[in-house]
């Protein structure tokens, strides 16, 4: 058995840390602070975090084939040039829903950017229900809506054979799967592959490992769990020193390390004093399993 080690690599006290993505070229971890309206980059070489402030809640970040990054910002897909600190809008959805914003997003193996929306929260997990939708941004900058009626659009990733799309609508308390057509980007045949136990609380961000198993960050559950989407069984639980674990990705050397983001938004003083690392980024080593490199947006 490998020995699992957990380290807080940045105690930035993010409001809602989210969307960890390994940038191999930079040897860095990208992530966002949704509430703090920042895109952040932690360098594994210096241990320092650089941040770019933006003018709306930024909920996900992804690599881009042509270099730099793409982000979901408010209800927009946008391009981010890091050095220039320049943000330009690519596409705008839900102009008629001023209380909505994008939430989690990720690029599929063919370079399409998937991201879903939600109503802004009054406090964690309290919001107007069924306001969100799931979208795809294609490389030609066209946008397609897959479905609506989403509460909190969250964790997403694809199976190793690209035939299945995994998705979480947090308040449905279910990890779902769809058939995936990698040629067209279409999804079909939604079903549940896992329902969290009570102490796992709210399923949030998610990533796949090289054995095709799913890792899900449990918001208010203070843990990441490893699931077998074929059997619906939980294989492993890794507890973290903060309750609001939001998302996870693999990165580092050979993608053998796991990075976990967390939130502090909605915690009172007493809770924060018990969990001073809330809103920090954590690195987990010794899991004995590797991850899949992130796909860059093709546009
Ligand atoms: O990052 C997200 O996915 C949401 O924006 C967060 O606010 C929390 O995850 C949510 O509160 C959990 O229910
Ligand atoms: Zn999330």
């Amino acid at each position: 058995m490998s020995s699992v080690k957990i380290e807080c690599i940045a105690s930035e006290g993010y409001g809602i840390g989210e969307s960890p993505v390994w940038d191999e070229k930079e040897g860095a971890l990208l992530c966002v602070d949704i509430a703090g309206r920042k895109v952040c980059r932690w360098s594994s070489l210096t241990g320092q975090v650089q941040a770019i402030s933006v003018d709306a809640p930024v909920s996900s970040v992804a690599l881009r084939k042509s270099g730099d990054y793409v982000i979901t910002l408010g209800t927009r897909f946008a391009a981010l040039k890091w050095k220039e600190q320049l943000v330009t809008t690519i596409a705008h959805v839900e102009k008629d829903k001023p209380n909505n914003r994008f939430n989690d997003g990720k690029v599929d193996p063919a370079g399409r950017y998937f991201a879903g929306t939600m109503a802004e929260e009054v406090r964690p997990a309290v919001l107007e229900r069924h306001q969100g939708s799931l979208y795809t941004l294609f490389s030609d900058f066209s946008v397609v809506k897959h479905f609506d009626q989403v509460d909190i659009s969250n964790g997403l990733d694809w199976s190793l054979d690209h035939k299945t799309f995994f998705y979480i609508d947090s308040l449905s308390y279910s990890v779902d799967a769809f058939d995936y057509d990698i040629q067209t980007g279409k999804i079909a045949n939604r079903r549940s592959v896992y329902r969290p136990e009570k102490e796992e609380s709210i399923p949030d961000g998610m990533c796949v490992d090289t054995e095709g198993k799913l890792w899900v960050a449990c918001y208010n559950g203070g843990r990441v769990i490893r699931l077998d989407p074929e059997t619906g069984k939980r294989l492993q639980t890794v507890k973290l020193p903060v309750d609001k674990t939001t998302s996870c990705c693999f990165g580092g050397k050979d993608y053998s390390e796991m990075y976990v983001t967390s939130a502090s938004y909605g915690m009172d003083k007493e809770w924060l004093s018990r969990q001073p690392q809330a809103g920090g980024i954590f690195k987990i080593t010794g899991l004995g399993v590797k991850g899949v490199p992130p796909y860059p947006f093709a546009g």
Side-chain angles (χ1 to χ4, degrees):
M1 266 308 272
S2 52
S3 68
V4 175
K5 208 181 107 199
I6 299 169
E7 184 192 340
C8 181
I9 55 163
S11 42
E12 300 285 307
Y14 293 145
I16 309 174
E18 267 283 353
S19 186
V21 177
W22 187 253
D23 183 342
E24 198 176 320
K25 229 173 61 219
E26 297 288 333
L29 184 80
L30 289 160
C31 65
V32 299
D33 178 355
I34 304 178
R37 302 184 171 200
K38 278 185 302 201
V39 184
C40 307
R41 194 164 82 177
W42 172 82
S43 163
S44 66
L45 309 168
T46 66
Q48 297 301 304
V49 179
Q50 285 182 301
I52 292 182
S53 289
V54 290
D55 62 7
V58 55
S59 61
S60 72
V61 55
L63 307 177
R64 191 174 186 183
K65 217 182 207 158
S66 54
D68 279 301
Y69 309 112
V70 278
I71 57 176
T72 48
L73 179 68
T75 51
R76 286 172 285 159
F77 286 102
L80 168 64
K81 281 193 177 296
W82 189 267
K83 263 207 205 106
E84 298 82 350
Q85 305 205 359
L86 193 69
V87 175
T88 45
T89 299
I90 292 175
H92 201 164
V93 302
E94 300 183 355
K95 287 184 185 150
D96 55 328
K97 290 194 169 219
N99 191 41
N100 269 22
R101 65 161 169 85
F102 267 115
N103 200 40
D104 209 352
K106 195 174 275 177
V107 173
D108 88 342
R112 309 175 185 102
Y113 194 177
F114 275 61
T117 55
M118 60 186 276
E120 191 53 273
E121 294 172 306
V122 181
R123 56 179 188 277
V126 178
L127 74 175
E128 196 183 340
R129 305 284 302 262
H130 311 313
Q131 295 305 303
S133 298
L134 180 71
Y135 298 91
T136 295
L137 174 72
F138 289 79
S139 58
D140 65 358
F141 294 178
S142 62
V143 175
V144 161
K145 177 155 121 181
H146 295 283
F147 51 80
D148 53 18
Q149 300 296 315
V150 176
D151 286 324
I152 301 182
S153 192
N154 250 317
L156 58 174
D157 214 337
W158 289 263
S159 63
L160 300 178
D161 65 6
H162 307 162
K163 287 183 177 160
T164 309
F165 169 60
F166 298 107
Y167 178 73
I168 292 171
D169 179 351
S170 288
L171 297 191
S172 74
Y173 292 90
S174 170
V175 179
D176 291 347
F178 293 79
D179 297 339
Y180 194 61
D181 184 340
I182 189 70
Q183 299 307 328
T184 62
K186 287 206 172 102
I187 59 174
N189 186 26
R190 186 174 190 163
R191 66 262 180 198
S192 175
V193 293
Y194 183 80
R195 292 189 188 278
E197 313 246 338
K198 202 166 189 314
E199 70 271 17
E200 291 165 352
S201 205
I202 303 175
D204 198 333
M206 162 166 67
C207 69
V208 73
D209 68 28
T210 53
E211 293 172 10
K213 308 296 188 270
L214 299 176
W215 290 84
V216 178
C218 300
Y219 183 93
N220 280 348
R223 68 192 72 190
V224 289
I225 53 175
R226 185 177 190 232
L227 312 175
D228 185 338
E230 304 294 326
T231 63
K233 295 268 182 293
R234 185 186 57 241
L235 305 170
Q236 194 177 348
T237 297
V238 179
K239 294 203 177 166
L240 286 102
V242 292
D243 287 330
K244 294 186 182 292
T245 34
T246 53
S247 192
C248 51
C249 80
F250 284 91
K253 193 179 171 326
D254 302 328
Y255 294 87
S256 61
E257 303 163 346
M258 174 172 275
Y259 290 87
V260 181
T261 49
S262 71
S264 61
Y265 169 65
M267 292 170 70
D268 62 18
K269 265 204 183 130
E270 190 272 328
W271 196 352
L272 281 170
S273 72
R274 275 190 289 118
Q275 300 191 347
Q277 293 171 322
I281 308 170
F282 298 84
K283 177 165 92 175
I284 308 178
T285 49
L287 286 173
V289 61
K290 291 175 182 176
V292 180
Y295 307 104
F297 175 58

